[in-house]
Amino acid sequence: MNTMPAPLTCILVDDEPGNIITLSELLREYCPEIAIVDTAQDINKAYDSIKQNRPDVVFLDIEMPYGTAFDLLDKFGIVEFEVVFITAFNDYAIRAFKYAALDYLLKPVDILELQNAVNRHIVKQNSHVQHHQQELVSNLIQNLKQKDPDGFKLAISVKEGVFVFQTNDIISLEGQNNYTRFLFS
């Protein structure tokens, strides 16, 4: 029996219905490996839909009613999905990548960039990085919220998993070819 892999699932979040329709059509035509399970026009509906549907990817506009995409992501303790920001504003790019965005696409969406974002998720899903990403993102969000620098933690991803260390415990770092050696107290 030849079974097809389950399609990736996604939710589209944008306050403008026309943008949702356009993105839906682009995904259906050019990215058949991804299935749209829901759409939302504000962060409250998006939060409920993400909790209920548990998508692989959320295509997310930044400025919406009742808050921003960042407000939505902050509601999650651990972000268990990939985020592709789709916005008319390039002002948020640096902030978006602090939230470990899979991609940041400007409107109008370029088809090739959209396909690349979907393909990037497929590659990540099939690599060991995917297994540890949630821990890395969670640590990043905690560090962004941290006001006391002594509370920052460093997450290190290795083949065996993700290890989290207090930065105060690091004595030194030593470069060794393509690796870094950490010395702890």
Side-chain angles (χ1 to χ4, degrees):
M1 179 194 287
N2 193 5
T3 59
M4 296 287 294
L8 299 173
T9 59
C10 74
I11 293 175
L12 312 181
V13 182
D14 197 309
D15 61 323
E16 297 180 35
N19 290 340
I20 289 177
I21 291 168
T22 300
L23 184 57
S24 296
E25 290 171 356
L26 290 174
L27 287 168
R28 284 187 185 105
E29 186 168 345
Y30 298 102
C31 303
E33 60 273 48
I34 195 159
I36 301 165
V37 295
D38 200 7
T39 64
Q41 290 183 275
D42 64 62
I43 67 168
N44 296 328
K45 183 175 184 308
Y47 178 79
D48 293 340
S49 180
I50 292 167
K51 291 293 263 187
Q52 178 182 351
N53 293 298
R54 302 176 53 90
D56 297 304
V57 181
V58 175
F59 292 90
L60 189 55
D61 188 16
I62 293 181
E63 293 185 1
M64 293 175 288
Y66 313 115
T68 67
F70 306 114
D71 297 327
L72 171 63
L73 295 174
D74 286 342
K75 287 183 165 192
F76 293 92
I78 297 176
V79 177
E80 297 179 344
F81 49 89
E82 294 287 353
V83 177
V84 175
F85 289 99
I86 298 183
T87 182
F89 307 99
N90 63 5
D91 305 354
Y92 298 108
I94 292 173
R95 188 169 179 198
F97 285 107
K98 287 184 178 179
Y99 280 82
L102 179 65
D103 214 326
Y104 188 93
L105 306 178
L106 290 175
K107 295 175 185 174
V109 175
D110 178 89
I111 295 166
L112 187 56
E113 289 179 4
L114 180 63
Q115 289 173 318
N116 286 340
V118 171
N119 289 334
R120 202 170 0 270
H121 174 69
I122 292 168
V123 168
K124 278 182 87 171
Q125 188 177 35
N126 293 331
S127 72
H128 80 278
V129 174
Q130 173 65 24
H131 302 293
H132 308 302
Q133 181 182 2
Q134 290 6 331
E135 293 173 78
L136 295 170
V137 170
S138 177
N139 184 67
L140 175 63
I141 290 171
Q142 293 304 316
N143 282 343
L144 289 172
K145 292 178 181 178
Q146 188 64 249
K147 300 208 185 312
D148 179 12
D150 291 336
F152 287 0
K153 294 181 180 177
L154 176 67
I156 302 172
S157 179
V158 296
K159 289 180 187 176
E160 297 79 17
V162 174
F163 298 91
V164 180
F165 302 97
Q166 291 291 133
T167 56
N168 292 343
D169 293 340
I170 300 171
I171 296 173
S172 69
L173 304 173
E174 181 181 316
Q176 294 180 334
N177 296 327
N178 293 332
Y179 299 96
T180 303
R181 182 175 176 196
F182 289 79
L183 295 170
F184 297 95
S185 58

